[in-house]
Amino acid sequence: MENTNINPLLCNPATGLCEIPGTGISNNYQAISNQDKPLKLVYFTDPICSSCWGIEPQLRKLKLEYGNILDIEYHMGGLLPDWSYNSGGISKPSDVAYHWDEVSVYYDMPIDGDVWLEDPLNSSYPPSIAFKAAEIQDKDKAVNFLRILRELVFLKKKNITRWEYIAMAAKEAGLDVVKLKTDFERSAQKLFEADLKLARDYGVRGFPTIFIQNKSGERETIYGTKPYSFFETVILNLSSDVTKEQYNKNREALFSKYNSLTAREYSELSGISRNESEKQLNELMDKGFLEKLMTKNGSLWIRKSSDKI
């Protein structure tokens, strides 16, 4: 039976999940194909999934330590088709605002819920389709594009269903905006529909949902936001002989890899304490190396130039 009281925008911090009505993970889906590296990671997400924003620190570290043995594949889940429902205590955009402020504190990742009061989104489908259009051009740039979209909606309170903000993010990610618009209106729609079907086939009923599989077909599921150690344990269970890469943890290297970081992300990647992370980031801002985007629930630090930090 489907749980009709579930509202996808009412994410559960305890489980780390933005859940949709469904029957649960299926055990009957076919093996993941096109696997070149020892492990394949399939990530079901959504541009406005607050729990997916909460998992960014873990995913960024995972790419640095295990990116050499992981094929990573993104799929959009369709978290908010429209507002033609009333469940879980949420029936209109303004109901989401307070909830986003709450989960921001829980995940220690800056989210300003006031977008739902000032310029609310009517669906998560347009930015999801835009991501599929970006993938047609370049998968790495598409991932960067998705990150920029999330910063726009979670921190800058921008309605990322509007083309002006999609185009802004695309330009910043180095994508061809004209081609993106063409693909958005044509082939990307079918690619998004294929993602929705794949999510149904897999029994995905919430985000983030991550499947990791080895070449023998053994698979484990990471359901909801989990600490980094959980990811590492799953990887070692599936491929005990892999070794993680030792990456450079100094501030110059980290901001060369990732143009923007929250204090929570910087702490996860550098291995220093959360308080010390914020102190270092503020010192770099004071010295003119970083810009600081402040919200009522935390900040984001952005590299200003290619000069050494």
Side-chain angles (χ1 to χ4, degrees):
M1 293 289 292
E2 293 189 358
N3 186 350
T4 56
N5 292 319
I6 291 173
N7 188 294
L9 292 178
L10 193 64
C11 302
N12 186 338
T15 61
L17 197 68
C18 297
E19 193 170 5
I20 57 177
T23 57
I25 297 299
S26 169
N27 293 316
N28 299 318
Y29 46 75
Q30 295 180 351
I32 297 169
S33 59
N34 301 320
Q35 184 168 332
D36 296 323
K37 294 182 180 180
L39 296 175
K40 184 153 192 174
L41 185 153
V42 179
Y43 179 27
F44 287 91
T45 184
D46 188 279
I48 68 168
C49 165
S50 56
S51 290
C52 299
W53 178 242
I55 210 172
E56 281 283 281
Q58 295 92 308
L59 287 180
R60 285 186 149 190
K61 185 173 182 179
L62 196 71
K63 291 174 183 178
L64 291 175
E65 290 197 325
Y66 293 100
N68 62 319
I69 56 99
L70 276 174
D71 274 327
I72 302 178
E73 194 175 275
Y74 283 70
H75 294 285
M76 297 295 104
L79 188 65
L80 179 64
D82 54 46
W83 283 97
S84 62
Y85 60 82
N86 179 2
S87 61
I90 291 181
S91 61
K92 57 187 182 297
S94 59
D95 294 333
V96 187
Y98 178 71
H99 174 66
W100 269 24
D101 291 339
E102 279 188 319
V103 297
S104 174
V105 174
Y106 188 89
Y107 292 128
D108 191 20
M109 287 286 283
I111 304 175
D112 191 333
D114 286 355
V115 65
W116 296 104
L117 304 175
E118 298 172 8
D119 191 8
L121 291 74
N122 59 5
S123 171
S124 68
Y125 279 28
S128 297
I129 296 167
F131 173 80
K132 301 311 292 185
E135 278 195 317
I136 294 171
Q137 292 189 42
D138 185 291
K139 290 189 180 298
D140 290 334
K141 288 181 179 179
V143 173
N144 189 32
F145 171 64
L146 179 60
R147 168 71 185 210
I148 297 166
L149 285 175
R150 283 177 165 151
E151 291 180 2
L152 284 171
V153 69
F154 289 126
L155 288 87
K156 300 179 182 180
K157 301 184 292 181
K158 302 302 183 185
N159 182 338
I160 57 172
T161 67
R162 300 187 186 278
W163 182 256
E164 60 185 290
Y165 298 123
I166 291 174
M168 180 191 299
K171 184 177 180 181
E172 185 176 339
L175 293 163
D176 181 330
V177 179
V178 175
K179 177 172 171 51
L180 188 85
K181 179 70 169 176
T182 300
D183 292 334
F184 176 86
E185 294 173 344
R186 297 178 184 175
S187 52
Q189 176 70 47
K190 290 185 178 179
L191 294 173
F192 175 55
E193 290 171 0
D195 273 6
L196 297 182
K197 181 181 183 303
L198 189 65
R200 290 193 298 270
D201 291 346
Y202 278 27
V204 173
R205 59 181 178 86
F207 313 103
T209 294
I210 291 173
F211 300 95
I212 302 180
Q213 177 179 294
N214 60 25
K215 287 191 173 183
S216 299
E218 298 172 302
R219 180 180 309 170
E220 293 201 23
T221 304
I222 300 172
Y223 198 44
T225 302
K226 297 291 189 295
Y228 185 75
S229 59
F230 192 94
F231 285 84
E232 197 162 33
T233 298
V234 167
I235 286 173
L236 295 175
N237 285 344
L238 291 170
S239 186
S240 58
D241 59 344
V242 301
T243 56
K244 61 185 176 185
E245 288 193 346
Q246 299 300 316
Y247 65 91
N248 193 334
K249 297 182 180 180
N250 70 39
R251 55 201 185 188
E252 170 71 19
L254 293 179
F255 274 98
S256 294
K257 178 65 177 178
Y258 298 119
N259 187 59
S260 62
L261 292 166
T262 66
R264 170 75 181 82
E265 289 176 320
Y266 189 73
S267 176
E268 184 77 65
L269 300 182
S270 66
I272 64 177
S273 72
R274 172 64 173 76
N275 288 341
E276 180 62 26
S277 292
E278 188 147 5
K279 179 181 176 182
Q280 284 191 18
L281 291 168
N282 282 328
E283 287 174 353
L284 291 169
M285 180 198 65
D286 291 340
K287 292 176 181 178
F289 296 120
L290 301 176
E291 294 179 358
K292 185 178 182 180
L293 172 61
M294 298 179 66
T295 77
K296 64 179 181 179
N297 293 321
S299 301
L300 180 77
W301 286 263
I302 305 130
R303 184 175 181 141
K304 289 179 69 172
S305 71
S306 59
D307 297 335
K308 285 190 175 183
I309 295 177

